[in-house]
């Protein structure tokens, strides 16, 4: 199993250190810590009523990808995806108007044509008047940024609310992030939960895609040339490990490559023939999913068994899934399910900890034990297992096994939600930048910044500072004035500093020390005021749950 450690998940796990006293899921501590239920209550408490929320062994994928709704930006950029403009249906006219206006807007940003940008914004406004959720969301983005209209948070929030009510997931992300910054955690949790769940819909077995590693355009004030070179390294592989890596890029659509299950299958097959066990496991998943091939659980079982026999322990998670569903095997066997998940967990495989936690949480083949489930989930969270992060967020939201804490739940849901397919915008932004299309890159990074992505916030701010002489920044009535550009960059740096970006914190503290007419304050000049506690990376322990620096 691909074991890519998600930096954002680490940051989310660290947030537990702030509430260390809440994370002591052990019977010996329950009497002293009122935040944790007793062993008996945890085994028989509210989980019975809530267990339907944890359907982690669902049969199939949804018929339609919720991330590819008509309001998604993905069809606007990816010409290989389904067009957002439907040929029929009640919203086909507004869909077509939205898509035409949005594409014209991105084209105008590329060309540095503020008049064409303004005309495109008018189209978007017309589509928004027809109630199109994507147009409402994009109009909210323009209003919040002050593009071809005065910058104003109130209209932006109202438009995002209307778009969110119509089902736009990106507006839900933007609203959730806004509420999160204002410490309105009840609202943030409610809004983050849906895109977080949507971000997990493409996973099966215990497999979740590795995070699209966000590329930071800059290192300090200079361009990050090393990272940019690595992004385009797609050399034809000559050995099994390289074949697996290239297959992985095609399977998940990473590093500028479009997702292509056929090519992924081809490279995984070549690597597996050379004994590459990770490829064997992924071939098992491909057959179980029917991703680019006809679904075949017998073939899935064969490849997963081959990988497991060669001590590739994450493959036991896939085998456990097949046995819990009875796919590709003679019959369901919950004893084997537990044994397989335990084997994976004993060999420090995060998916094993997570899946075993689900068994204990729901009482599948074992006696229900919420305290043990919490322990297992926390182990998986520390290893960056996304499903575990999502489930622990639920535990904190509902107060099951852990004291209810909406702040921590919001942090964890945010971490998962940011793995949604909208992260593709970051890839296209980077590709645009590498082609010299800085205007389009700025537009895409600015959109992701609004959704709460720290790397996008710092990239957008850096572009505004670095390319201040170029006509790429769209302002209230044309190109940005120096004041508009400076204020927008400052806002992005500020948001990035709130999320732990130290370079952004330095810039903000310098701005307060030297400029702006703000009275000198040692506190403002210190990084402590701006750097989030989530920059620290302690681990959670089963015994105390406390962070260890």
């Amino acid at each position: 199993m691909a074991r890519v450690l998600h930096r954002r998940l680490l940051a989310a796990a660290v947030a537990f250190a702030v509430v260390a006293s809440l994370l002591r899921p052990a019977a010996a501590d329950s009497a002293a810590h009122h935040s944790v239920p007793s062993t008996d209550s945890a085994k028989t408490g509210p989980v019975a009523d809530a267990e339907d929320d944890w359907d982690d062994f669902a049969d199939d994928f949804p018929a339609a990808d919720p991330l590819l709704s008509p309001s998604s930006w993905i069809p606007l950029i990816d010409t290989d995806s389904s067009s957002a403009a439907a040929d029929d249906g009640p919203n086909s006219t507004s869909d077509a108007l939205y898509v035409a206006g949005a594409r014209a807007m991105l084209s105008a940003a590329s060309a540095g044509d503020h008049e064409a940008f303004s005309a495109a914004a008018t189209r978007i406004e017309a589509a928004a008047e027809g109630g199109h959720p994507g147009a409402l969301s994009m109009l909210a983005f323009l209003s919040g940024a002050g593009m071809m209209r005065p910058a104003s948070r109130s209209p932006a929030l109202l438009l995002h609310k209307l778009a969110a009510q119509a089902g736009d997931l990106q507006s839900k992300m933007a609203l959730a992030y806004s509420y999160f910054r204002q410490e309105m955690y009840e609202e943030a949790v409610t809004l983050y939960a849906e895109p977080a769940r949507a971000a997990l819909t493409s996973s099966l077995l215990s497999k979740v895609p590795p995070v699209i590693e966000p590329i930071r355009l800059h290192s300090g004030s200079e361009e990050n040339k090393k990272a940019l070179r690595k992004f385009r390294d797609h050399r034809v592989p000559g050995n099994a490990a390289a074949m697996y890596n290239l297959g992985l890029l095609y399977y998940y659509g990473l590093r500028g490559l479009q997702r292509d299950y056929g090519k992924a299958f081809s490279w995984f097959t070549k690597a597996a023939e050379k004994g590459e066990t990770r490829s064997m496991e992924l071939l098992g998943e491909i057959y179980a999913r029917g991703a680019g091939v006809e679904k075949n659980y017998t073939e899935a079982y064969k490849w997963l068994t081959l990988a497991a026999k060669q001590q590739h322990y994450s493959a036991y998670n896939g085998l456990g899934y097949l046995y819990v569903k009875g796919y590709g095997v003679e019959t369901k066997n919950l004893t084997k399910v537990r044994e397989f998940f335990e084997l994976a967990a004993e060999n420090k495989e995060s998916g094993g900890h997570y899946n075993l936690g689900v068994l204990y949480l729901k009482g599948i083949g074992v006696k229900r034990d919420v305290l043990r489930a919490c322990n297992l989930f926390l182990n998986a969270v520390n290893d960056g297992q996304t499903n575990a992060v999502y489930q622990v967020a639920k535990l904190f939201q509902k107060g099951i096994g852990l004291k209810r804490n909406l702040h921590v739940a919001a942090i964890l849901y945010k971490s998962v939600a940011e793995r949604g397919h909208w992260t593709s915008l970051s890839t296209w932004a980077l590709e645009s930048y590498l082609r010299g299309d800085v205007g389009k890159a700025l537009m895409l990074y600015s959109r992701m910044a609004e959704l709460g992505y720290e790397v996008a916030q710092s990239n957008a701010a850096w572009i505004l500072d670095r390319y201040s002489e170029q006509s790429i920044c769209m302002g209230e009535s044309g190109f940005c004035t120096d004041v508009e550009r400076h204020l927008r960059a400052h806002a992005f740096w500020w948001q990035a500093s709130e999320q732990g970006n130290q370079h952004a914190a330095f810039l903000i503290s310098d701005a307060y020390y030297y400029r702006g007419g703000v009275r000198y304050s040692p506190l403002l000049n210190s990084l402590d005021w701006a750097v989030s506690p989530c920059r620290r990376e302690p681990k959670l322990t089963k015994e105390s749950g406390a962070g260890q620096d």
Side-chain angles (χ1 to χ4, degrees), residues 191-215:
L191 286 163
Y192 269 135
E194 185 176 348
R197 181 59 185 167
L200 295 178
T201 55
S202 63
S203 63
L204 189 60
L205 313 180
S206 67
K207 299 286 295 175
V208 290
V211 175
I212 300 176
E213 287 290 339
I215 304 295

Side-chain angles (χ1 to χ4, degrees), residues 177 181 449-450 457 490-499:
Y177 177 58
R181 294 186 69 203
E450 183 191 35
Q457 290 164 354
H490 181 85
F492 285 142
W493 285 127
W494 183 283
Q495 292 168 18
S497 74
E498 289 178 339
Q499 301 199 70

Side-chain angles (χ1 to χ4, degrees), residues 60 104 176 487 532:
D60 295 302
L487 289 176
S532 166

